[in-house]
Amino acid sequence: MDTRERLIRSTQELLRERGYVGTSPKAIQQRAEAGQGSMYHHFRGKPGLALAAIRRNAEEVRARVDGHLSAPGTAVERITAYLRQERDVLGGCRVGRLAQDPEVIAEPGLREPLDETFDWLRRRLAEVLAEGKERGELAPDLDPVGTAAALAAVVQGGYVLARAAGSAEPFHRAVDGAVDLLTARTRA
């Protein structure tokens, strides 16, 4: 792994662990085993490196989610696979945690990849739900856009509840409830 990649990976980890303010250039350099000159050779300081790390987080999250949503199966099976995928629940969502960071949200350039990712997630879920309606798998009166927004909120809210409780149980209960509600909207 080259120095640039180590810097991005280290920044991804530190942003998740410490947030933007707690992620110092020195901490990034130490974790990446890179000198100050290397960091500034590849990036225009901490904001540029943070943006690269946030964009990478967003790309990786989208790829993982799309793997589930593009797989074979019914709409409910694919969405259930996404909801129940293996995750570090107590670590939180790599995108959602940053959306709770005041410094990231205050900077439009850093916030943009988060907005794009959540918009993409809601659109992608809505597409799968609309496809399920078209195939007759889901109730004809199901609102794909509203349901997609609710599913995204369940996941993000589940992370928050789990972190507050210090247990993954609230996350899993929220997901199970969402799956039950979605399954109740299937057509036999």
Side-chain angles (χ1 to χ4, degrees):
M1 184 179 323
D2 67 9
T3 302
R4 184 177 194 285
E5 183 64 21
R6 287 195 323 269
L7 287 164
I8 292 171
R9 287 281 174 211
S10 296
T11 304
Q12 285 178 281
E13 294 166 5
L14 289 165
L15 285 172
R16 187 172 189 193
E17 293 168 14
R18 303 179 183 183
Y20 186 78
V21 169
T23 300
S24 68
K26 183 176 181 176
I28 295 167
Q29 292 161 22
Q30 287 176 340
R31 185 162 297 187
E33 298 177 354
Q36 183 176 358
S38 294
M39 182 174 148
Y40 291 100
H41 169 75
H42 293 288
F43 302 96
R44 288 187 170 176
K46 178 181 166 180
L49 181 49
L51 179 59
I54 292 168
R55 286 197 184 286
R56 176 74 61 81
N57 279 342
E59 291 166 5
E60 291 172 356
V61 166
R62 284 192 304 263
R64 187 169 183 192
V65 170
D66 202 46
H68 293 292
L69 298 180
S70 297
T74 68
V76 172
E77 289 168 345
R78 292 181 287 155
I79 290 172
T80 299
Y82 154 66
L83 292 172
R84 291 191 171 146
Q85 72 181 318
E86 187 175 324
R87 335 168 173 247
D88 177 8
V89 173
L90 295 179
C93 173
R94 293 186 297 151
V95 174
R97 286 222 31 211
L98 293 171
Q100 298 172 39
D101 189 315
E103 286 76 21
V104 171
I105 293 304
E107 174 54 47
L110 296 178
R111 187 180 65 236
E112 182 181 10
L114 307 178
D115 291 340
E116 291 171 354
T117 299
F118 286 127
D119 287 346
W120 173 87
L121 175 62
R122 288 186 300 267
R123 271 193 323 274
R124 191 69 185 96
L125 286 167
E127 289 169 2
V128 173
L129 291 164
E131 181 183 307
K133 271 181 64 170
E134 289 172 16
R135 289 187 192 168
E137 299 166 2
L138 295 167
D141 64 339
L142 180 113
D143 173 14
V145 173
T147 304
L151 292 170
V154 163
V155 171
Q156 292 305 312
Y159 279 122
V160 171
L161 295 173
R163 286 181 59 82
S167 165
E169 182 185 356
F171 179 92
H172 295 300
R173 291 186 73 166
V175 164
D176 289 345
V179 169
D180 287 347
L181 290 170
L182 188 57
T183 301
R185 298 302 313 243
T186 59
R187 295 181 63 175

